[in-house]
């Protein structure tokens, strides 16, 4: 085991429709385990709650300033020169970045922001629909039991997601969970496995290249 490097998964506990409320945490832990299997880096216990006010009241979340202080404290006391953050919840990303800037010189950090990376991998340049086909596909590959979704071919999910990405977002697009449209309940485990492989490769490229927060 590499004594100088570690991986810290960042998750959330929030409304995910038919998916478990800790889906983001499970995905982050799954990817961390896959990276660790290839590198020997220790996986630190995940932060299971995130900054998720958009999912209130069906969410347990940490306020922005408290989350940043918690993250900084964990990173400073981990005793590692380098930590890879694997973030499974989009709301955590700006707080992780801000905390990391404050820790420059103390800990070398790299961030894999799962959903931002998935958007790039799929070439859609936008946010992944919450609890939609892509998230369900990745969750399936990470061992989350999928119920209430139909399993379809990989290309069917990709076609649907890319078609949806071509529609310009409304300036009044919903933000809170209760305002979001019902996601299409389809998934492809094959697609999820491919995305997982791509995310692990991206994490390794970033971590071995050095901090990019």
């Amino acid at each position: 085991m590499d004594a100088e490097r570690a991986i810290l998964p960042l998750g959330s506990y929030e409304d995910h429709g038919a998916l478990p409320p800790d889906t983001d945490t499970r995905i982050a832990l799954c990817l961390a385990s896959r990276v660790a299997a290839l590198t020997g880096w220790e996986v630190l216990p995940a932060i299971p709650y995130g900054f998720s006010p958009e999912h209130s009241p069906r969410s347990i979340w940490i306020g922005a300033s408290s989350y940043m202080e918690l993250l900084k404290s964990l990173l400073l006391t981990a005793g590692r020169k380098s930590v890879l953050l694997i973030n499974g919840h989009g709301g955590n990303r700006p707080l992780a970045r801000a905390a990391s800037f404050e820790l420059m010189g103390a800990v070398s950090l790299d961030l894999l922001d799962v959903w931002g990376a998935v958007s790039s991998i799929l070439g859609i340049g936008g946010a992944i629909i919450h609890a939609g086909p892509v998230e369900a596909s990745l969750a399936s590959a990470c061992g989350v039991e999928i119920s209430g979704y139909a399993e379809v071919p990989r290309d069917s999910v990709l076609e649907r997601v890319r078609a949806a990405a071509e529609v310009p977002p409304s300036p009044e697009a919903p933000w809170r969970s209760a305002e979001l449209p019902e996601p299409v309940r389809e998934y492809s485990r094959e697609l999820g496995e491919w995305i997982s492989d791509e995310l692990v490769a991206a994490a390794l490229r970033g971590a071995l290249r050095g901090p990019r927060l």
Side-chain angles (χ1 to χ4, degrees):
M1 182 175 293
D2 191 330
E4 294 190 348
R5 297 193 184 214
I7 309 167
L8 177 59
L10 309 179
S12 69
Y13 191 91
E14 62 191 25
D15 177 28
H16 266 89
L19 298 177
D22 62 343
T23 293
D24 291 342
T25 306
R26 295 194 197 191
I27 288 173
L29 275 167
C30 164
L31 296 172
S33 296
R34 295 187 183 199
V35 172
L38 296 172
T39 61
W41 304 342
E42 181 182 3
V43 179
L44 302 174
I47 301 180
Y49 305 110
F51 180 61
S52 309
E54 72 273 25
H55 295 290
S56 297
R58 292 178 290 180
S59 172
I60 302 174
W61 55 280
I62 304 173
S65 59
S66 296
Y67 187 90
M68 286 181 59
E69 290 305 315
L70 172 64
L71 182 56
K72 288 190 294 182
S73 178
L74 293 176
L75 291 170
L76 286 171
T77 59
R80 304 305 171 95
K81 293 182 179 180
S82 177
V83 177
L84 168 63
L85 302 175
I86 297 185
N87 175 42
H89 171 61
N92 299 337
R93 181 181 183 182
L95 303 182
R97 290 177 62 88
S100 300
F101 278 120
E102 292 190 29
L103 294 179
M104 279 186 178
V107 184
S108 176
L109 294 169
D110 187 71
L111 171 66
L112 175 70
D113 182 61
V114 170
W115 303 114
V118 170
S119 292
S120 297
I121 289 167
L122 297 182
I124 62 174
I128 300 298
I129 297 174
H130 186 67
V134 173
E135 185 166 12
S137 297
L138 183 55
S140 173
C142 285
V144 176
E145 184 177 349
I146 308 297
S147 61
Y149 286 70
E151 185 163 11
V152 299
R154 163 180 161 166
D155 290 346
S156 295
V157 174
L158 287 173
E159 182 178 352
R160 182 184 295 278
V161 169
R162 286 169 176 160
E166 293 178 0
V167 178
S170 166
E172 298 179 356
W175 177 68
R176 294 193 175 274
S177 181
E179 301 169 343
L180 293 172
E182 179 70 16
V184 175
R185 293 194 177 185
E186 296 178 347
Y187 78 101
S188 164
R189 185 182 178 94
E190 179 188 3
L191 175 63
E193 290 288 354
W194 175 73
I195 291 174
S196 175
D197 289 343
E198 292 294 310
L199 287 169
V200 168
L204 291 174
R205 286 195 301 270
L208 296 175
R209 184 172 60 241
R212 56 186 178 90
L213 283 165

